[in-house]
Amino acid sequence: MAITLLITDKNLAVQGDPLTGWSDLDAMLKYNEPAAGTVKLPAYPEVMEQLEPGNRLVVVRDGSIWTAGPMEVPTDYDWSVDSERGVGTVTVSFSDDLATVAGYITWPEPALTWAGQHGDTWRTFNAVNSETLIRTLVNENCGPGAIAARRIPNLVLDTAAGVGTTTSLRTRFEPILDVCRKAASAGGAIGFRTRQDGTQIKFGCYAPTDRTATARFSTGLGNLRSVQFRQSAPTITHALVAGTETTGSSIRTYVEVPNAAAAAAWWRVEKYIDGGAANDSTGELTASGTSELADGAAPVSLATVTVDTPDLMAGRDYTLGDRVTVALPHGLEVADVVRAIHLQASPGSGEQVASVIGSQDATTDPHLMRVVRTLSRRLGQIETR
């Protein structure tokens, strides 16, 4: 294990020597979501002076950046007469740079100031490639194409990956990552992320890779320590989408988006969806249904504790969004998407990598997370009308 911790300012300039004496590093990377991490440090003066608001923490693992982003809680200090080394400890909570992007909402007219927005305007994308859509949203709301007051320092667009399929949506005043996830899900199940490259923070999209033949975990391979497997019935197999009512008209568009395979394997589960558009002329209602089907797919929640080996390492041989295979001890093999990669490390005990593998929102409590996200999205849609 070779882990180095650095503190930088907003402009990515390193603020001091690498942090020493750290313990209990916990860093989880998440697919299409900001990372989450904590680390405990001795509260030496040279450490405390680096933990300034707005600074970032960079985790370097084996020479490559594992995660880098803002410190959301730079100083959670604790001291008592029994404190080790007499100076106490400070716990730092951090994320990756996608957390900074997450702080923005979608403006219907991003080229104008807030006071210049018009009440009846929406930001509309009709039959647009999903990668182009996501990159445009980020660029015009917080990237180099945004008005000066909204630009995130050093954020640029990464090289286009040429991924995604056509989708449509309209938005205003919604959390930007909620909209990006919807476009990514409906437009080819692509991923998006930030990465630090020199003095730039690059935002880009990518296509997850099918690594089921090469990224395999099993007791026989010696890279699987524990596994928890749960498969649940779908919460939706048929999205019944309704367009918004047009003033003075009794005509309303209805679109049914089915998941025939899930219905055949389980049973039919209908769900009413307010599509947020008047009709499906650009496919927006269909896209809303497709996104709901992805959220409600029969979730396979597979929480594993894995061990890096010379033949298979997280970040090198597989990454977020990739499809991998886990061979359960009783013989069943499960192939699904890597939703999170969890690094825990301490100088005394080494490191442990746990991967969460499964369908959309697979976590330790997938049902709760799915409900929270659905409610948040629907409340946002109501508030923006």
Side-chain angles (χ1 to χ4, degrees):
M1 176 188 69
I3 292 179
T4 302
L5 304 182
L6 302 170
I7 301 293
T8 77
D9 63 11
K10 292 181 179 180
N11 292 317
L12 282 61
V14 176
Q15 296 300 286
D17 293 332
L19 300 175
T20 59
W22 61 268
S23 64
D24 302 328
L25 173 65
D26 189 306
M28 178 175 283
L29 308 181
K30 302 179 183 180
Y31 181 49
N32 290 353
E33 294 186 50
T38 59
V39 65
K40 185 178 291 186
L41 303 165
Y44 295 134
E46 61 271 22
V47 171
M48 298 299 290
E49 68 183 10
Q50 296 186 53
L51 305 181
E52 292 292 329
N55 281 355
R56 303 164 63 256
L57 190 143
V58 181
V59 179
V60 181
R61 180 187 184 223
D62 295 331
S64 299
I65 294 178
W66 177 266
T67 185
M71 295 183 292
E72 297 177 312
V73 182
T75 52
D76 185 355
Y77 178 71
D78 181 67
W79 177 89
S80 73
V81 293
D82 299 320
S83 293
E84 185 180 356
R85 302 187 182 97
V87 295
T89 60
V90 58
T91 300
V92 176
S93 299
F94 59 92
S95 185
D96 61 11
D97 291 303
L98 201 58
T100 311
V101 178
Y104 287 74
I105 64 173
T106 56
W107 287 18
E109 298 171 285
L112 304 180
T113 64
W114 180 251
Q117 302 295 307
H118 297 88
D120 59 349
T121 304
W122 292 75
R123 184 66 175 99
T124 302
F125 297 88
N126 293 328
V128 177
N129 170 268
S130 57
E131 179 187 17
T132 300
L133 192 161
I134 293 169
R135 286 166 58 90
T136 300
L137 277 175
V138 171
N139 180 51
E140 66 187 18
N141 281 284
C142 58
I147 60 176
R150 303 185 73 204
R151 292 174 195 158
I152 295 175
N154 306 294
L155 179 67
V156 300
L157 294 181
D158 209 340
T159 303
V163 300
T165 58
T166 299
T167 189
S168 301
L169 63 77
R170 65 173 186 165
T171 180
R172 61 175 180 178
F173 314 138
E174 295 178 272
I176 190 170
L177 289 192
D178 284 357
V179 183
C180 289
R181 277 189 288 267
K182 181 177 179 180
S185 176
I190 64 174
F192 55 85
R193 61 193 170 195
T194 56
R195 65 184 183 93
Q196 179 177 327
D197 183 10
T199 58
Q200 293 181 318
I201 300 167
K202 294 185 175 181
F203 175 91
C205 299
Y206 66 100
T209 303
D210 186 344
R211 302 188 188 277
T212 52
T214 58
R216 298 176 58 85
F217 301 92
S218 72
T219 55
L221 293 172
N223 58 9
L224 184 63
R225 285 184 177 173
S226 68
V227 60
Q228 290 180 308
F229 173 74
R230 180 173 69 178
Q231 186 172 23
S232 306
T235 59
I236 174 176
T237 64
H238 288 72
L240 306 180
V241 190
T244 55
E245 295 179 349
T246 304
T247 303
S249 173
S250 60
I251 299 175
R252 194 174 188 186
T253 302
Y254 295 92
V255 174
E256 180 176 346
V257 186
N259 183 338
W266 295 86
W267 49 79
R268 182 182 177 103
V269 183
E270 298 179 343
K271 187 175 183 180
Y272 172 82
I273 309 297
D274 187 340
N279 56 60
D280 201 38
S281 59
T282 61
E284 187 172 345
L285 299 185
T286 298
S288 294
T290 302
S291 179
E292 289 286 341
L293 287 177
D295 285 349
V300 173
S301 180
L302 185 64
T304 64
V305 176
T306 63
V307 182
D308 276 355
T309 67
D311 296 325
L312 186 62
M313 296 183 64
R316 187 194 71 184
D317 301 307
Y318 69 94
T319 189
L320 296 171
D322 287 351
R323 288 181 63 84
V324 299
T325 299
V326 177
L328 306 184
H330 58 71
L332 177 67
E333 288 195 353
V334 179
D336 219 315
V337 174
V338 178
R339 295 288 171 181
I341 301 175
H342 190 186
L343 169 66
Q344 293 176 300
S346 187
S349 57
E351 67 177 35
Q352 178 175 281
V353 177
S355 298
V356 178
I357 302 165
S359 60
Q360 184 90 339
D361 292 324
T363 67
T364 54
D365 192 349
H367 176 70
L368 175 61
M369 291 297 296
R370 186 165 58 249
V371 169
V372 169
R373 178 168 292 171
T374 299
L375 288 175
S376 177
R377 182 172 61 244
R378 289 181 179 175
L379 285 172
Q381 291 173 343
I382 292 172
E383 290 172 349
T384 58
R385 288 177 187 165

